[in-house]
Amino acid sequence: RQPTWEDNDAFEDLEERHSWCNAKECLYPGGREEAEEEGPWELLLCCSCAAEGTHRRCSGLRNRIRRWECDSCAGVGTGTRHSTLRVSLG
């Protein structure tokens, strides 16, 4: 028998991914709710909360940057830009 939480739709919303640009000014010609798989119009989700997103270009993020943190998580006006470069603290 399945646990009761699997019998209802309590976790249905958890499967939905945030899918729009929360930038103050969205620059994408297709609008906030459209994105591309890669490039300047790829939608990155906040690496801390995943509750906000941004198109790379709308937040000035280069293609090599793989992670982004929203202002709410990083602190107002300090949204961080994480790069894919790793430094060994060896």
Side-chain angles (χ1 to χ4, degrees):
R1 178 165 159 84
Q2 293 180 339
T4 57
W5 61 266
E6 289 185 4
D7 292 338
N8 61 40
D9 295 328
F11 292 93
E12 187 175 326
D13 289 343
L14 294 178
E15 294 177 13
E16 293 182 20
R17 183 179 186 267
H18 185 83
S19 60
W20 63 88
C21 179
N22 294 99
K24 189 174 186 176
E25 182 182 356
C26 178
L27 305 172
Y28 189 49
R32 290 184 183 278
E33 295 185 13
E34 299 294 325
E36 296 179 4
E37 292 293 319
E38 58 186 37
W41 303 117
E42 178 182 358
L43 187 71
L44 296 180
L45 297 186
C46 174
C47 62
S48 293
C49 70
E52 291 195 23
T54 185
H55 293 113
R56 290 181 178 282
R57 183 165 290 169
C58 297
S59 289
L61 305 173
R62 294 184 183 145
N63 284 341
R64 67 182 168 93
I65 293 175
R66 301 316 267 143
R67 296 179 56 174
W68 166 80
E69 191 170 40
C70 70
D71 285 345
S72 297
C73 291
V76 177
T78 61
T80 58
R81 296 172 177 149
H82 299 278
S83 73
T84 57
L85 302 175
R86 295 180 184 222
V87 177
S88 176
L89 300 176

